Amino acid sequence: MTTPQIEAFLEMMAVERAASPHTLAAYGRDLADAEGGVAGGLMGADEAAVEAWYAGLGARGLSPATQARRRAAVRQFYRFALGEGWRSDDPSRRLDAPKQGRSLPKSLSRDEIERLLTAAAARDGAAGLRLVALVELAYASGLRVSELLALKAEAVRRDPAYLIVRGKGGKERLAPLNASAREATKAWLGARDAARKPETPDSPWLFPSPAGRGHLTPRRFAQLLDRAAVDAGIDPARISPHVLRHAFATHLLEGGADLRVVQTLLGHADIGTTQIYTHVATDRLTRTVREKHPLARDG
């Protein structure tokens, strides 16, 4: 359920704060939920009504992360409403953030990455070359899936050693490409260009949609990864486009990379977001010592 006030808030987020379409969609869903769930609606609610709605989120089975995001959306909306003079109070001011346990990102071992690439390469023709290029680029550079799929063909035609990527908030950063990723990209470009019919206008995207409009979707990429995972003997539930980004960060830290460097490569504004990968790397190293060191074994 949307109101003129919610629409005005979303417009402000888009224009003044350069919020991405994904962020705007999430805020829109969260505020629509609050508008329909708070007695009196957002503009007519008092503190008790807002707190009752918020308390019910956990009972509905929503995760702490989702509850926290909805709390943030409602609090930002009310701050905006105060600034616009629509309300003289903030009924969300006493909402406490839900307690969240440490959620470690999924990752893959180096061996699993190799098996995934082998399975991708086993696919016939251009489909295999495309999937190898997708996996190599994601793993070599730590790109977000939205950044990867939005790459333009012209950006890689001169075989660059790095890409200039526009990430969240419109911020630019350098994304490195190793030799393996560059070779995979060149092979895919050759197949991509050869498959295009002369009478058909060339798509600007590095990974165009087979339908001929736009680029490959995140959902389709995820489906292709699932199939490759099965062929590689890996549980598909452990793999997604985002997991390749996690593997990039985890393996860098395992190799001794500086945390600040990894933060820059990932495009994280807050180093606290990057620090979660140190736990993944440390947990894996601890497990390796426990399982492989002779004095750590039982009996």
Side-chain angles (χ1 to χ4, degrees):
M1 184 182 300
T2 255
T3 66
Q5 291 84 4
I6 292 176
E7 291 179 358
F9 169 77
L10 295 176
E11 183 178 355
M12 178 277 295
M13 292 291 293
V15 175
E16 297 182 15
R17 301 190 186 176
S20 69
H22 176 77
T23 298
L24 292 174
Y27 271 118
R29 289 192 298 270
D30 292 338
L31 292 174
D33 181 87
E35 178 65 25
V38 174
L42 288 170
M43 295 306 298
D46 57 17
E47 285 189 0
V50 173
E51 289 170 9
W53 163 78
Y54 185 63
L57 296 181
R60 289 161 54 186
L62 300 183
S63 70
T66 300
Q67 294 177 52
R69 195 190 67 224
R70 293 201 172 168
R71 169 183 175 269
V74 167
R75 295 201 67 183
Q76 288 198 54
F77 172 80
Y78 278 125
R79 282 197 290 270
F80 177 67
L82 279 171
E84 293 294 304
W86 297 338
R87 290 194 60 129
S88 59
D89 65 328
D90 177 2
S92 69
R93 63 188 179 89
R94 295 193 303 185
L95 296 183
D96 293 325
K99 294 182 179 179
Q100 301 188 53
R102 190 182 76 184
S103 178
L104 298 181
K106 297 178 183 177
S107 189
L108 298 172
S109 68
R110 291 174 175 82
D111 175 68
E112 287 171 327
I113 291 287
E114 289 296 331
R115 284 157 50 195
L116 189 66
L117 285 167
T118 299
R123 300 194 66 185
D124 292 336
L129 293 175
R130 181 182 64 177
L131 186 52
V132 170
L134 283 162
V135 175
E136 287 277 15
L137 283 170
Y139 178 59
S141 59
L143 293 175
R144 298 178 177 91
V145 64
S146 58
E147 297 166 345
L148 172 63
L149 299 180
L151 287 175
K152 300 290 183 69
E154 290 305 315
V156 297
R157 285 203 180 276
R158 296 185 179 182
D159 189 26
Y162 59 85
L163 299 170
I164 299 177
V165 180
R166 187 178 296 276
K168 288 186 175 181
K171 295 181 179 178
E172 290 187 344
R173 71 181 192 280
L174 296 181
L177 297 181
N178 59 29
S180 181
R182 291 163 68 182
E183 287 300 318
T185 302
K186 283 191 287 186
W188 161 241
L189 266 179
R192 173 191 178 281
D193 293 344
R196 184 174 68 87
K197 298 178 181 178
E199 66 276 11
T200 305
D202 190 16
S203 169
W205 310 109
L206 176 57
F207 299 106
S209 167
R213 292 181 295 178
H215 54 64
L216 197 71
T217 65
R219 182 175 182 180
R220 181 57 180 155
F221 182 19
Q223 290 172 341
L224 296 173
L225 279 179
D226 283 351
R227 294 179 188 177
V230 171
D231 293 340
I234 303 170
D235 182 359
R238 296 182 53 233
I239 289 185
S240 72
H242 206 58
V243 166
L244 298 175
R245 175 171 158 90
H246 293 326
F248 163 81
T250 303
H251 295 169
L252 278 177
L253 289 168
E254 286 178 348
D258 182 82
L259 188 65
R260 289 285 183 186
V261 173
V262 178
Q263 177 192 7
T264 300
L265 292 173
L266 290 173
H268 286 161
D270 182 357
I271 197 169
T273 307
T274 316
Q275 284 177 323
I276 190 70
Y277 294 102
T278 64
H279 299 302
V280 179
T282 301
D283 287 352
R284 181 173 292 172
L285 290 172
T286 301
R287 186 170 62 252
T288 298
V289 171
R290 187 173 61 247
E291 294 175 354
K292 304 299 183 182
H293 194 283
L295 297 182
R297 297 176 185 172
D298 293 334

